[in-house]
Amino acid sequence: YVNFTSGSTGTPKGVVVCHRNVCEFIPCFAETFAITEKDVLANQAPFDFDVSVKDIYSGLFTGARVEIVPTAYFTNPTKLMDFLCDRGVTLMVWAVSALCFLTTMNALAYKTPTTLRAILFSGEVMPIKHLHKLQKYLPDVQYVNLYGPTEITCNCTYYVVDREFAENESLPIGVPFKNERILLLTPDGGEAVKPGEIGELCVSGTSVALGYYKDAERTAASFTQNPLNHAYIEPIYRTGDLVQVNERGEMVYVSRKDFQIKHMGHRVELGEIEAAAMRCDAVTRACCTFDAERQRLHLFYTGSCEKAALLAALKESLPPFMQPNTAVQLDEMPLNKNGKIDRTALAALTKKGAHK
């Protein structure tokens, strides 16, 4: 199949995934999470979003039942919860934004599916405050943070949440699936192995896709030879994601190379500003964009927090060069077709003067 990326960091690209990629990944995925014919998967993602690949093919491979959740239910939390309960759903492999809809709309206070055994999430960083709300209503469910772009057939690492996390912490992205190898490469082509050292996450193995459809230039830039292997051909995919190893030896997502900007002479990770905003109690989602031409940081957020209070809190927690120039309160975040926050749409809002 060919799946187009969300385009959240640029123009969408058609990722060519072959039979071998799927046939190598899905049995490994099903085995890792003990999916059997007794499971009922609630399919949340549209079929042109690779989150759905895990539902479709896991069902075909194991005989599990796949229930397709009507799109309209994601604007009606009571119907959504009725659906999950009535269908006896045991497994949810969902995008983070869809789970945040449940917690933001307080859907779990209405009803919780007692048959549910595991929630696997991916697509964006899971805000810890939303994870806590899920755990409050579903304490016995297994939570798994999945990581990986479309280019490596869905996911390359997973982390089973096995401890309590504070709201200022980040969930690790975990360990590689057994048919994939992870490399953290530094700009000079070395490997980042020391605690705190940041490297670009690169993937090798049988789930690395064939490349981009009719786009040889982009394929050559992202699907390259492993610079650490001088003995034979070993293709890797360069994700563009920056990762570091924490003091526990766990890999933690830091940001995208695209989101690492230079502001007031300092290197800034937009994700750190977003994380600081999310630590404010009344903020439900946050996204920061950078206007390179005007050298301005724009923070967009949802929730009941007053703009002045949010900016004051950020002044306490962030150095001057990381403090947003503006904060815009939205009723809801614009999402692209894959359910991720649409940064391009937010950047367009600033050009229209919505930040004034």
Side-chain angles (χ1 to χ4, degrees):
Y1 60 82
V2 176
N3 252 352
F4 279 81
T5 61
S6 64
S8 58
T9 60
T11 307
K13 304 178 288 288
V15 181
V16 183
V17 177
C18 68
H19 288 75
R20 180 196 183 193
N21 297 148
V22 176
C23 291
E24 287 280 354
F25 174 68
I26 290 299
C28 182
F29 182 80
E31 178 187 348
T32 301
F33 303 113
I35 303 172
T36 71
E37 72 280 358
K38 295 179 182 179
D39 278 304
V40 180
L41 288 84
N43 167 247
Q44 165 265 321
F47 287 179
D48 59 354
F49 181 18
D50 74 345
V51 170
S52 68
V53 167
K54 290 165 281 190
D55 293 330
I56 298 167
Y57 290 109
S58 292
L60 290 171
F61 179 67
T62 66
R65 191 165 89 246
V66 180
E67 293 283 356
I68 300 174
V69 183
T71 303
Y73 289 3
F74 287 94
T75 57
N76 190 323
T78 55
K79 280 192 174 182
L80 177 57
M81 298 314 300
D82 285 338
F83 180 92
L84 298 177
C85 293
D86 294 345
R87 303 302 171 98
V89 168
T90 64
L91 196 63
M92 291 164 57
V93 186
W94 283 21
V96 166
S97 57
L99 292 170
C100 288
F101 170 77
L102 293 184
T103 51
T104 301
M105 300 302 292
N106 209 23
L108 295 169
Y110 163 69
K111 187 183 288 187
T112 58
T114 57
T115 52
L116 191 62
R117 68 174 181 84
I119 296 177
L120 287 61
F121 46 85
S122 61
E124 294 175 290
V125 174
M126 168 62 82
I128 299 298
K129 65 170 64 176
H130 289 274
L131 175 63
H132 286 168
K133 289 180 182 178
L134 290 168
Q135 292 173 322
K136 173 185 174 183
Y137 288 101
L138 297 164
D140 299 322
V141 166
Q142 181 185 65
Y143 296 90
V144 182
N145 185 27
L146 298 171
Y147 164 82
T150 307
E151 288 87 344
I152 49 77
T153 316
C154 302
N155 302 122
C156 54
T157 69
Y158 65 96
Y159 174 74
V160 178
V161 180
D162 58 358
R163 66 178 191 271
E164 289 290 326
F165 283 83
E167 290 193 2
N168 63 348
E169 291 185 279
S170 297
L171 288 176
I173 61 172
V175 297
F177 285 95
K178 66 181 182 181
N179 63 324
E180 297 174 270
R181 180 186 173 203
I182 299 300
L183 307 169
L184 301 185
L185 296 182
T186 57
D188 60 3
E191 193 167 11
V193 294
K194 299 175 183 177
E197 190 176 6
I198 294 176
E200 180 185 3
L201 191 145
C202 302
V203 187
S204 71
T206 52
S207 290
V208 174
L210 300 182
Y212 297 122
Y213 184 68
K214 292 185 176 180
D215 198 336
E217 185 177 345
R218 281 180 166 177
T219 297
S222 298
F223 294 84
T224 66
Q225 168 66 16
N226 177 3
L228 304 179
N229 185 348
H230 304 291
Y232 54 86
I233 294 175
E234 183 187 0
I236 63 171
Y237 172 67
R238 305 186 73 108
T239 66
D241 288 336
L242 301 176
V243 172
Q244 66 183 5
V245 177
N246 65 15
E247 64 280 355
R248 291 173 173 262
E250 302 162 329
M251 289 190 297
V252 178
Y253 173 86
V254 176
S255 183
R256 280 197 59 78
K257 288 171 71 175
D258 317 64
F259 301 162
Q260 190 180 69
I261 55 100
K262 199 74 172 289
H263 185 233
M264 296 172 63
H266 296 270
R267 194 170 298 281
V268 175
E269 304 285 355
L270 296 180
E272 292 184 19
I273 301 173
E274 295 164 357
M278 284 294 297
R279 288 196 285 272
C280 298
D281 290 338
V283 173
T284 53
R285 300 298 301 276
C287 183
C288 189
T289 65
F290 179 61
D291 184 338
E293 183 180 346
R294 296 178 177 83
Q295 286 288 300
R296 292 174 69 82
L297 291 163
H298 301 292
L299 178 68
F300 297 87
Y301 72 98
T302 59
S304 59
C305 187
E306 292 292 332
K307 187 186 305 185
L310 176 57
L311 290 174
L314 293 178
K315 282 186 177 181
E316 293 291 325
S317 60
L318 295 174
F321 61 86
M322 291 179 68
Q323 291 168 17
N325 299 103
T326 63
V328 181
Q329 187 177 22
L330 302 173
D331 292 332
E332 57 184 23
M333 284 286 180
L335 303 177
N336 59 32
K337 70 180 183 67
N338 289 351
K340 297 181 182 180
I341 294 176
D342 192 333
R343 292 175 178 270
T344 303
L346 291 177
L349 287 179
T350 64
K351 293 179 181 179
K352 292 178 181 177
H355 61 283
K356 293 180 181 177

